[in-house]
Amino acid sequence: YVDFVPSVTSNEEVLHEGGILQSEMRSMQENLNNEMKNMHQSNDQISKLVEDLEETQKALKISLKLVKIDAFMHKIKLCNESKRYNDIHEHLRSIEKIIEDPKDKIIRRLDCIKNMKHRLTVERCNLKFTLEAEFNRLIQMKEKSFPKTRAVTFSISKNTCELIDCIHALFECEFS
């Protein structure tokens, strides 16, 4: 996985400008379609322009999706640092939705998507491993065996918010 956008440009700027470009392109396409109906002489030329515009629009749509994925990867990195596990899980799901979009057949054929799927799997495994370690830190179990019985002692952290978040994130990872 490689960052698509240099660090000097924020993803939000690119997404905002890309959205503006997309709406302008839709408007242009509608105008061209209307003009095409009125001008019979230049029908072939306008048709070619419309096709080119549609192709460019598809390319822009794919590019914006890749920038969104890159933005989510950066957010995952920040969430890892601040231990916001539920947010990490949500970002991973968002990336998967973009990659597995049934309407978009182009993005699934891109070479970089294979790398992103691999990175997605690695991030999921890291999240699960981190959550299990965090759970073991918050709830410690000690077991003593006697001839006919066993004694189990649980030590539960007093930080209930952290414990609840960890358990919730573990369940989300296991069942999604």
Side-chain angles (χ1 to χ4, degrees):
Y1 171 77
V2 178
D3 290 341
F4 293 100
V5 182
S7 302
V8 294
T9 306
S10 74
N11 287 328
E12 287 79 21
E13 280 181 48
V14 174
L15 289 172
H16 177 71
E17 290 174 13
I20 292 170
L21 282 173
Q22 224 174 6
S23 65
E24 287 176 1
M25 290 174 86
R26 273 190 222 108
S27 168
M28 273 178 62
Q29 185 179 6
E30 288 173 9
N31 289 340
L32 285 174
N33 284 334
N34 290 337
E35 289 296 323
M36 187 171 70
K37 292 175 185 174
N38 297 333
M39 300 175 71
H40 298 288
Q41 323 163 320
S42 59
N43 194 20
D44 292 339
Q45 196 175 25
I46 291 176
S47 294
K48 175 69 173 135
L49 290 173
V50 169
E51 286 174 19
D52 290 347
L53 188 59
E54 287 172 352
E55 236 177 87
T56 305
Q57 193 174 11
K58 286 177 186 177
L60 179 62
K61 185 178 177 183
I62 295 296
S63 298
L64 288 175
K65 284 184 177 187
L66 293 175
V67 170
K68 282 181 186 177
I69 289 171
D70 187 54
F72 282 126
M73 288 296 189
H74 286 291
K75 287 178 184 178
I76 287 171
K77 192 179 197 181
L78 295 173
C79 289
N80 269 327
E81 292 169 2
S82 59
K83 296 183 178 183
R84 293 186 349 243
Y85 305 118
N86 288 320
D87 292 343
I88 295 170
H89 190 263
E90 287 301 315
H91 295 322
L92 290 172
R93 262 200 235 157
S94 298
I95 292 171
E96 189 173 31
K97 282 180 186 176
I98 292 171
I99 292 174
E100 300 298 330
D101 184 4
K103 297 174 187 172
D104 193 349
K105 295 175 183 168
I106 297 172
I107 199 163
R108 285 183 264 148
R109 294 186 306 201
L110 296 176
D111 291 335
C112 63
I113 293 300
K114 291 177 186 172
N115 291 337
M116 286 184 193
K117 283 183 179 182
H118 177 70
R119 174 78 185 272
L120 198 62
T121 303
V122 168
E123 287 295 335
R124 275 213 172 93
C125 290
N126 286 343
L127 176 62
K128 189 173 179 182
F129 177 76
T130 303
L131 285 171
E132 287 172 356
E134 190 71 14
F135 180 79
N136 289 334
R137 182 184 68 78
L138 295 168
I139 297 182
Q140 297 171 357
M141 183 174 72
K142 295 177 185 172
E143 182 179 331
K144 288 184 182 180
S145 293
F146 297 105
K148 293 185 179 183
T149 60
R150 269 189 202 164
V152 179
T153 306
F154 289 99
S155 298
I156 300 174
S157 172
K158 290 183 180 182
N159 190 346
T160 55
C161 291
E162 195 175 340
L163 180 61
I164 289 170
D165 288 344
C166 180
I167 291 171
H168 182 263
L170 265 171
F171 275 111
E172 286 292 320
C173 286
E174 289 292 323
F175 297 110
S176 63

